[in-house]
Amino acid sequence: MEKGRVVVGLSGGVDSSVTAYLLQQQGYEVIGMFMKNWHDTSVTISDECPWVDDSNDALQVAESLGIPFQTIDLSEQYKERIVDYMFAEYQRGRTPNPDVLCNREIKFDIFLDAAMKLGADYVATGHYCQKGVEEIDGKNVYKLIAGADKNKDQSYFLCQLNQDQLSKALFPIGHLQKSEVREIAQEVGLVTADKKDSQGLCFIGKVKLPDFLQQQLKPKAGKVVEIPKDAGIYAKNGSDRDLEKMATPFAHSTEMGNVVGEHNGAHFFTIGQRKGLGIGGTPEPLFVIETDTENNIIYTGQGENHPGLYRSALFIPNSDTHWVREDLKMNNGQSQKFDIRIRYRQPLQAGTVHKTEEGIYIEFDEPQRGITPGQFAAWYNCDELIGSGVIA
């Protein structure tokens, strides 16, 4: 019995290949579609993994499964919605997450629309996450649940999906371990069985991010300032539990420390970064603790326990707050315990979400290292992702 038509985003990797195979086994009518998001080969490491190879692999998988295959060119929308946004964010000294945006803006928006035009009932991707559904007050509520393989769980990358997008999404490999996915691919003889996982930007292929940024953001020499661990800015005021204060990034100034070197543009660096500074000779390695893109200054501190790297709270304005579970949206004045993640693959951290008139404050039980403006914070209840937002 046909279960409906599903369009699989075939990326040319093993995960999406097995996704297509499993859906076919389950009785769906499967169509493979490859998204072409990028034309500019000058920034891809072209001999490693250009989209041409991926597209050929995707085509071979479709042929071996006997499913229809087409390519869709989304490079214009990708540039507009992802790349331009990335450049603007880096310019402002923030660190965006292109993968989260790619899922919200490309895969589950433009790609989803294209699939629906083909008469599809669902779109499917090779993400390591799971979907649940529960009837609440007479209507179906969809749940975004972590993947069974804790090492590969990709629910964080889908943290901006809404109920409508989730209702049409399928994640057929979410209950499997990566090793099991490779085994299935080998048993079925898929050409992608032993292919390495891609490390590039979402669907662009392998891109060197600094090269990519330098195309748009011009290098500009500036000072690297080292701030000592005992700088007055880190002094705690007794039992001060002012959330706004706790969530505000440290504002360092050159008077607080010493100039220890030069850099080629504050917008190329991100908080917590250690590599790429090119400054040695300190007892402990230097880490970036603040990037001031307005004055083109990078503030650094020695050692990974430098107090400038840690904060116990963050803020997300209302305009950047998103609830996957709209039925669990908090009201002003409410506080609730959640498990929180501020970057992909970070183990979940215990904390409290406070809803105020301005937005959401997340207060952590333990101070967190490298809270980075522009990145996404996501909050979970056990294995279920409830909501997310852009860190201010």
Side-chain angles (χ1 to χ4, degrees):
M1 190 195 96
E2 277 287 312
K3 285 191 173 179
R5 178 178 290 178
V6 56
V7 171
V8 176
L10 280 182
S11 65
V14 67
D15 299 329
S16 61
S17 307
V18 171
T19 292
Y21 167 73
L22 291 175
L23 289 167
Q24 194 182 38
Q25 294 300 300
Q26 288 161 22
Y28 288 94
E29 179 199 345
V30 180
I31 297 171
M33 199 187 264
F34 179 82
M35 285 175 255
K36 183 176 176 186
N37 287 346
W38 201 244
H39 292 287
D40 185 352
T41 51
S42 63
V43 290
T44 49
I45 313 167
S46 33
D47 55 345
E48 282 216 24
C49 161
W51 65 267
V52 180
D53 290 352
D54 290 338
S55 162
N56 289 339
D57 288 344
L59 173 62
Q60 274 185 275
V61 166
E63 282 177 350
S64 71
L65 295 176
I67 60 173
F69 176 79
Q70 51 175 287
T71 295
I72 179 171
D73 190 337
L74 300 178
S75 45
E76 204 176 304
Q77 295 95 322
Y78 191 89
K79 183 185 177 308
E80 201 175 287
R81 295 200 193 186
I82 311 296
V83 178
D84 293 350
Y85 171 84
M86 273 173 61
F87 286 135
E89 285 284 88
Y90 275 107
Q91 197 102 46
R92 291 172 59 196
R94 289 157 59 101
T95 306
N97 189 315
D99 290 302
V100 173
L101 285 170
C102 180
N103 285 316
R104 181 183 81 189
E105 301 284 334
I106 305 291
K107 286 183 205 163
F108 291 93
D109 186 355
I110 300 166
F111 181 76
L112 178 65
D113 285 348
M116 295 299 134
K117 287 194 180 104
L118 292 176
D121 302 293
Y122 302 101
V123 293
T125 59
H127 280 105
Y128 286 85
C129 70
Q130 304 176 81
K131 171 178 147 179
V133 60
E134 187 185 333
E135 197 177 302
I136 299 173
D137 298 335
K139 63 180 235 199
N140 280 346
V141 171
Y142 296 93
K143 301 177 177 188
L144 179 60
I145 297 162
D149 185 335
K150 290 292 170 256
N151 268 326
K152 293 293 295 178
D153 168 37
Q154 291 173 310
S155 55
Y156 174 82
F157 287 141
L158 300 165
C159 68
Q160 288 276 298
L161 296 194
N162 59 34
Q163 284 291 308
D164 189 43
Q165 291 167 317
L166 262 182
S167 72
K168 299 184 178 77
L170 296 176
F171 308 115
I173 64 168
H175 64 292
L176 298 169
Q177 303 291 311
K178 179 77 185 201
S179 53
E180 296 175 298
V181 170
R182 288 218 184 267
E183 266 164 43
I184 293 169
Q186 265 153 354
E187 277 164 31
V188 188
L190 295 175
V191 60
T192 52
D194 297 318
K195 191 169 170 183
K196 286 215 304 270
D197 291 352
S198 79
Q199 295 300 316
L201 284 176
C202 171
F203 275 93
I204 287 189
K206 295 210 168 167
V207 173
K208 290 178 177 155
L209 194 60
D211 296 1
F212 195 65
L213 292 173
Q214 271 166 5
Q215 290 209 312
Q216 207 80 9
L217 309 172
K218 293 287 166 268
K220 182 170 146 205
K223 295 185 174 85
V224 177
V225 176
E226 186 191 329
I227 305 289
K229 289 179 181 169
D230 56 5
I233 192 171
Y234 308 128
K236 299 246 187 309
N237 308 349
S239 60
D240 191 7
R241 240 198 96 253
D242 176 344
L243 278 173
E244 192 179 339
K245 210 165 158 186
M246 287 159 61
T248 305
F250 293 115
H252 300 96
S253 67
T254 45
E255 296 75 57
M256 293 175 189
N258 300 311
V259 176
V260 289
E262 273 206 343
H263 61 78
N264 63 350
H267 41 252
F268 297 131
F269 293 84
T270 181
I271 290 168
Q273 184 173 334
R274 175 184 158 182
K275 296 195 168 75
L277 280 165
I279 299 166
T282 50
E284 291 184 273
L286 288 176
F287 289 85
V288 176
I289 56 176
E290 187 197 336
T291 60
D292 174 355
T293 49
E294 218 166 294
N295 302 304
N296 199 30
I297 297 167
I298 286 178
Y299 292 98
T300 61
Q302 264 189 59
E304 48 191 283
N305 294 321
H306 190 284
L309 281 172
Y310 288 84
R311 291 217 313 277
S312 22
L314 61 83
F315 177 65
I316 297 167
N318 281 324
S319 57
D320 286 332
T321 303
H322 171 76
W323 293 89
V324 175
R325 286 289 301 274
E326 286 160 29
D327 57 317
L328 298 179
K329 217 179 248 185
M330 290 163 65
N331 298 319
N332 293 345
Q334 279 187 325
S335 293
Q336 200 178 328
K337 295 288 279 182
F338 282 105
D339 289 320
I340 295 128
R341 178 170 281 145
I342 55 170
R343 63 181 73 86
Y344 175 53
R345 297 193 89 150
Q346 181 201 29
L348 289 168
Q349 307 291 314
T352 306
V353 172
H354 304 275
K355 177 72 183 80
T356 69
E357 255 172 59
E358 298 74 48
I360 274 177
Y361 284 96
I362 295 180
E363 182 186 7
F364 294 96
D365 292 8
E366 299 285 324
Q368 295 297 304
R369 182 171 186 270
I371 291 176
T372 308
Q375 287 281 351
F376 288 85
W379 46 99
Y380 290 74
N381 187 349
C382 296
D383 267 358
E384 185 188 353
L385 197 154
I386 306 296
S388 68
V390 185
I391 300 169

